[in-house]
Amino acid sequence: MVSQDRAESVRSAAEASLLAGRRRYNRNEVAEKADVSPDLARRLWVSLGFPASEDDSARDYTDADIAAIQRFREVGILAGADARQQAATARTIGQTMARLAEWQVDLVLAEIDRRVAAAGANGDHDRITRTATAETVELLEGLLSYAWRRHLDAALARNLEEAPAEDSTRVLAVGFADMVGYTRLTRHLHPDELSTLLEAFESTTNDAIAENGGWVIKNVGDEVMFAAESPLAAARIALALQESTMTVGTTPELRVALAYGPVLQRFGDLYGSVVNIAARLTGVARPGTILVDDGAAAALDGEPELSIRHLRSVRVRGFNRLRPHLLRRNGKS
């Protein structure tokens, strides 16, 4: 990490690179220049995840902050939305960006340290810090823009194939995979070992999901949630997850389950009974197995590459009788 005596230099360089100008406006001035009410300006700021000073005269804002509010209002569907919808959109953007920023800090600071160390004791460390910060931020911004555009293109293609209804419901296959014994492992692993374990899990599951036509909804510790357009694609993902984990051998066994049916799509996440069923089935699956619900089992019936065995109903939280079906690749015992 950057030494304490250079912290102020890093802070100054970061503000110059990231804020696109000095802090010169208070909240009322931002609202006036953006042509919104002070209340809306404050609500959007907080929804994005930033603390709002109680002092309305505090000069915390830049020209970029004014431009951001103006851009927000230029999106027609947001400009006409109610305050709750606007705040929800800002909150989702803020949470996503905050998570990205938290791990990118390590990249920026590591690059500063690398360049300072290379320059030696006689180097101009302040200049190196400013240059390293600006160049690394520019590179990261370009990579983020590229990845976002590619993902937006893929998401548009998926949604255009099956236009969502007005209430944002879609018929999808939803699955979960989680590591067996993760809680016990975390008590004994060194933080570096835990980081390696999570990296292996995330890279293995991400590859299996992407290569079989699905997409990751979210990672939460020892669990990944994914979706696919069809039950067959989701089944192939589930099989690939189990098989790749066994092949790589760097992560514990997995429990995998999926369900198929209508889901509510909201800000990139999925909700509803189908999601809950998939999660509950994951909880009752045996290590190394894949369970599917009635909807997925019916849709997959007759697929020559798959074998489905019907199991006895189980009682789980929220469902008195939930019937699981064991999914295997055809030919597996």
Side-chain angles (χ1 to χ4, degrees):
M1 299 294 286
V2 173
S3 60
Q4 187 62 39
D5 61 347
R6 292 210 316 279
E8 187 57 38
S9 177
V10 172
R11 175 66 177 164
S12 175
E15 285 207 358
S17 297
L18 296 170
L19 299 188
R22 64 184 180 86
R23 301 172 190 262
R24 56 191 298 193
Y25 304 110
N26 62 41
R27 187 159 47 242
N28 290 331
E29 290 169 336
V30 168
E32 181 181 355
K33 290 180 178 296
D35 194 25
V36 299
S37 70
D39 180 63
L40 177 59
R42 185 182 190 282
R43 190 184 310 121
L44 292 177
W45 183 254
V46 173
S47 295
L48 284 167
F50 307 119
S53 171
E54 294 298 324
D55 182 5
D56 285 344
S57 66
R59 299 196 174 276
D60 292 330
Y61 308 97
T62 71
D63 288 304
D65 297 316
I66 296 171
I69 293 178
Q70 291 171 331
R71 290 193 188 103
F72 195 90
R73 295 180 67 246
E74 285 170 6
V75 180
I77 194 168
L78 294 178
D82 61 25
R84 276 180 56 189
Q85 180 71 9
Q86 290 180 340
T89 302
R91 184 170 60 252
T92 304
I93 294 172
Q95 289 172 350
T96 303
M97 293 300 104
R99 186 177 180 190
L100 282 171
E102 285 296 330
W103 70 260
Q104 287 170 346
V105 164
D106 292 338
L107 296 179
V108 175
L109 295 181
E111 180 62 15
I112 293 171
D113 270 352
R114 186 188 70 81
R115 295 194 191 188
V116 167
N122 297 323
D124 185 344
H125 292 175
D126 282 346
R127 181 186 61 79
I128 293 169
T129 296
R130 290 193 300 272
T131 302
T133 302
E135 291 179 354
T136 307
V137 165
E138 184 177 0
L139 285 170
L140 288 173
E141 186 174 23
L143 288 171
L144 287 174
S145 177
Y146 160 76
W148 170 73
R149 287 174 180 273
R150 292 292 300 187
H151 278 295
L152 184 58
D153 176 72
L156 281 170
R158 288 194 298 266
N159 280 268
L160 288 172
E161 288 175 5
E162 180 195 343
E166 288 186 8
D167 60 357
S168 298
T169 59
R170 295 178 66 190
V171 177
L172 294 173
V174 180
F176 289 88
D178 73 12
M179 286 188 280
V180 177
Y182 175 79
T183 302
R184 175 180 51 79
L185 278 172
T186 57
R187 294 200 299 267
H188 304 288
L189 290 179
H190 184 274
D192 289 343
E193 294 174 312
L194 178 58
S195 178
T196 299
L197 171 64
L198 291 173
E199 171 58 29
F201 174 69
E202 290 179 8
S203 62
T204 300
T205 55
N206 183 79
D207 290 351
I209 292 166
E211 289 171 2
N212 289 279
W215 63 97
V216 174
I217 302 299
K218 57 187 173 185
N219 283 92
V220 183
D222 63 330
E223 186 173 68
V224 61
M225 176 182 175
F226 63 90
E229 294 284 347
S230 69
L232 181 57
R236 288 170 175 164
I237 290 169
L239 290 164
L241 287 170
Q242 290 290 21
E243 291 164 1
S244 62
T245 301
M246 289 185 286
T247 301
V248 174
T250 54
T251 61
E253 287 186 294
L254 300 182
R255 296 186 181 92
V256 183
L258 60 96
Y260 178 62
V263 297
L264 172 65
Q265 187 172 18
R266 183 176 185 272
F267 296 118
D269 210 338
L270 302 176
Y271 304 87
S273 291
V274 167
V275 177
N276 294 334
I277 289 171
R280 299 294 181 267
L281 288 177
T282 305
V284 299
R286 291 184 177 179
T289 66
I290 302 164
L291 296 182
V292 303
D293 76 331
D294 287 336
L300 295 171
D301 186 41
E303 289 289 346
E305 65 188 86
L306 303 175
S307 168
I308 296 177
R309 182 159 66 91
H310 309 302
L311 305 177
R312 259 185 293 184
S313 297
V314 295
R315 174 179 286 184
V316 296
R317 182 163 57 90
F319 299 91
N320 287 329
R321 292 178 61 83
L322 183 60
R323 190 178 186 191
H325 310 265
L326 183 65
L327 173 71
R328 293 193 177 104
R329 195 178 295 282
N330 209 4
K332 294 280 185 180
S333 58

